[in-house]
């Protein structure tokens, strides 16, 4: 079954063709990051316009690289939530027109379910159930993946997402947008014990997280140091910050393992590319006898191959939509 998959939920327009869920025939991405970098973050209106410009040639390119024609497509899958609403709408409307014109099923895919599915593309042997740490620019949650389309959020951030926290800190440090990658690089040579940052917890909700206090603490440190005319050690700052983020995530994932009794662990999303978090996950899983799957670095960020993969399982579960399909800025992952 050849699925054309489309993704436009933030600042990447992406198209892919995925065969039977796990074989990626082609995957192309047009990133707008440079366009938004001058503003220090994504400008929603610009994102929508750029998606409109990119999507037609991108789909043509995906078909060309897969060596297929439109007639070879069996279904079209699309991210329909969550994301910047004007951006999500572009691929949703395009997918609807493809479905209508080619008379093939339309499969709506939750973006974070797609991130989780990036693990299936990396590890041919991986099947649910597992507990997944989902960390991206817009989402930070611990999800119990009971089956391919049966998921429960066990805990989530009450405020900022981890990726947003990386991006805001990097912006103030002048590291550009998106800032997670540069912060990660900088942290490699830093001392993670140099600066003390808070690790917040949410009373009576052990799996929930909060990153706004960490963001404020690091921004205050940067501004106070500047005001005193002192110099910050940037690698030490990046390392201390990354440690604080990882310490807010990894122990909670272990707690989720304890609560569910599921000793199979995965990670997903752009921030899952972070070297400190990957290292801490590997160590924690080794020490606690859990099996760990991590997505390829190239599949951590937004792409359409992961949407095609998850779309296949949504299709098998009968989750298709008609022309009434809408886009949503927010949507519970458990609802699909
Ligand atoms: O999954 P993604 O591409 O988009 C969303 O669905 O949100 O995630 C983007 C986020 C950005 O905040 C970016 O700074 C962060 O992932 N990121 C990283 C790293 N690479 C990307 N954060 C920390 N360390 C990294 N190596």
């Amino acid at each position: 079954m050849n699925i054309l998959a489309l993704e436009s939920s933030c600042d990447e327009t992406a198209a892919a063709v995925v065969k039977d869920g796990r074989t990626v025939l082609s995957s192309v991405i047009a990133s707008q990051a440079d366009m938004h970098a001058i503003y220090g973050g994504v400008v929603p209106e610009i994102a929508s316009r750029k998606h409109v410009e990119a999507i037609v040639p991108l789909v043509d390119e995906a078909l060309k690289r897969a060596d297929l024609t439109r007639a070879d497509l069996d279904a079209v899958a699309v991210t329909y939530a969550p994301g910047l609403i004007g951006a999500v709408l572009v691929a949703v409307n395009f997918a609807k027109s493809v479905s209508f014109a080619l008379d093939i099923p339309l499969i709506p895919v939750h973006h974070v379910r797609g991130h989780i599915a990036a693990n299936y593309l990396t590890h041919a042997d991986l099947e649910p159930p597992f507990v997944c740490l989902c960390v991206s620019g817009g989402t930070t949650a611990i999800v119990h993946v009971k089956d391919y389309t049966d998921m429960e959020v066990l805990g989530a951030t009450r405020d900022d997402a981890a990726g947003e926290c990386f991006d805001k800190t990097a912006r103030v440090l002048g590291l550009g947008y998106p800032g997670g990658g540069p912060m990660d690089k900088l942290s490699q040579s830093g001392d993670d014990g140099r600066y003390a940052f808070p690790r917040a917890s949410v009373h009576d909700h052990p799996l929930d997280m909060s990153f706004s206090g960490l963001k404020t603490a690091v921004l205050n440190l940067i501004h106070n140091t500047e005001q005193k005319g002192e110099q910050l050690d940037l690698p030490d700052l990046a390392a201390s910050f990354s440690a604080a983020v990882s310490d807010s995530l990894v122990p909670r994932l272990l707690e989720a393992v304890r609560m569910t009794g599921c000793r199979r662990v995965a990670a997903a999303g752009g921030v899952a590319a972070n070297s400190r978090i990957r290292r801490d996950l590997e160590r924690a899983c080794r020490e606690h006898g859990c099996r760990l799957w991590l997505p390829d670095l190239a599949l951590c960020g937004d792409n359409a191959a992961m949407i095609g993969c998850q779309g296949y399982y949504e299709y098998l579960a009968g989750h298709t939509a008609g022309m009434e399909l809408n886009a949503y800025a927010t949507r519970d992952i458990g609802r699909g």
Side-chain angles (χ1 to χ4, degrees):
M1 179 182 197
N2 294 325
I3 296 183
L4 172 68
L6 303 168
E7 154 68 43
S8 70
S9 65
C10 191
D11 60 347
E12 260 108 19
T13 324
V17 182
V18 180
K19 187 173 185 232
D20 298 334
R22 301 248 183 171
T23 306
V24 181
L25 300 182
S26 67
S27 178
V28 283
I29 302 173
S31 176
Q32 312 170 356
D34 289 351
M35 203 77 59
H36 301 285
I38 49 172
Y39 302 102
V42 179
V43 181
E45 180 61 23
I46 294 176
S48 308
R49 285 165 190 265
K50 291 290 158 195
H51 287 312
V52 171
E53 287 171 19
I55 199 156
V56 173
L58 211 61
V59 168
D60 285 345
E61 183 64 23
L63 283 172
K64 197 169 127 199
R65 290 195 193 184
D67 202 17
L68 297 178
T69 68
R70 292 172 197 175
D72 299 313
L73 296 175
D74 300 301
V76 56
V78 64
T79 295
Y80 80 110
L84 300 170
I85 191 67
V88 189
L89 271 167
V90 176
V92 165
N93 283 323
F94 191 88
K96 282 159 80 167
S97 63
V98 169
S99 166
F100 184 77
L102 301 182
D103 195 21
I104 55 177
L106 173 64
I107 311 166
V109 176
H110 189 289
H111 180 72
V112 183
R113 287 188 174 205
H115 273 304
I116 293 170
N119 285 285
Y120 305 136
L121 295 176
T122 305
H123 308 284
D125 61 328
L126 176 62
E127 289 181 18
F130 54 90
V131 178
C132 191
L133 176 66
C134 301
V135 268
S136 68
T139 301
T140 299
I142 296 170
V143 178
H144 189 190
V145 183
K146 299 171 188 173
D147 207 337
Y148 286 106
T149 59
D150 180 9
M151 304 182 197
E152 183 188 356
V153 177
L154 302 173
T157 181
R158 293 292 184 100
D159 39 55
D160 300 331
E164 187 187 336
C165 216
F166 268 106
D167 290 339
K168 294 272 159 62
T169 304
R171 183 167 78 184
V172 175
L173 293 175
L175 298 176
Y177 169 84
M183 286 279 283
D184 193 0
K185 234 182 234 148
L186 205 54
S187 72
Q188 313 283 330
S189 57
D191 169 8
D192 65 3
R194 170 79 182 274
Y195 298 108
F197 292 128
R199 278 84 166 144
S201 54
V202 181
H203 186 61
D204 279 346
H205 291 86
L207 296 187
D208 280 354
M209 296 152 266
S210 165
F211 290 98
S212 61
L214 170 62
K215 191 175 75 182
T216 307
V218 69
L219 298 186
N220 282 345
L221 173 73
I222 294 166
H223 292 141
N224 290 342
T225 312
E226 258 171 27
Q227 276 166 6
K228 287 186 205 155
E230 292 169 5
Q231 280 290 313
L232 275 171
D233 185 298
L234 291 188
D236 288 355
L237 179 85
S240 303
F241 175 82
S242 303
V245 173
S246 185
D247 287 350
S248 302
L249 299 170
V250 177
R252 284 183 174 78
L253 191 62
L254 288 177
E255 179 60 14
V257 165
R258 197 192 62 74
M259 282 169 60
T260 56
C262 179
R263 309 190 78 74
R264 297 157 56 81
V265 172
V271 185
N274 184 267
S275 58
R276 171 67 189 244
I277 295 170
R278 288 173 91 94
R279 217 169 38 241
D280 287 353
L281 281 172
E282 276 160 5
R283 198 195 56 239
C285 286
R286 213 171 32 243
E287 285 174 6
H288 290 82
C290 300
R291 177 139 187 227
L292 174 69
W293 289 268
L294 292 173
D296 271 349
L297 291 181
L299 287 166
C300 287
D302 288 349
N303 64 85
M306 66 187 197
I307 302 302
C309 175
Q310 181 62 25
Y312 176 72
Y313 294 105
E314 299 290 349
Y315 176 80
L316 293 184
H319 300 165
T320 55
M323 290 302 116
E324 75 289 348
L325 177 67
N326 205 350
Y328 297 88
T330 58
R331 187 82 161 180
D332 183 349
I333 190 174
R335 283 185 66 187

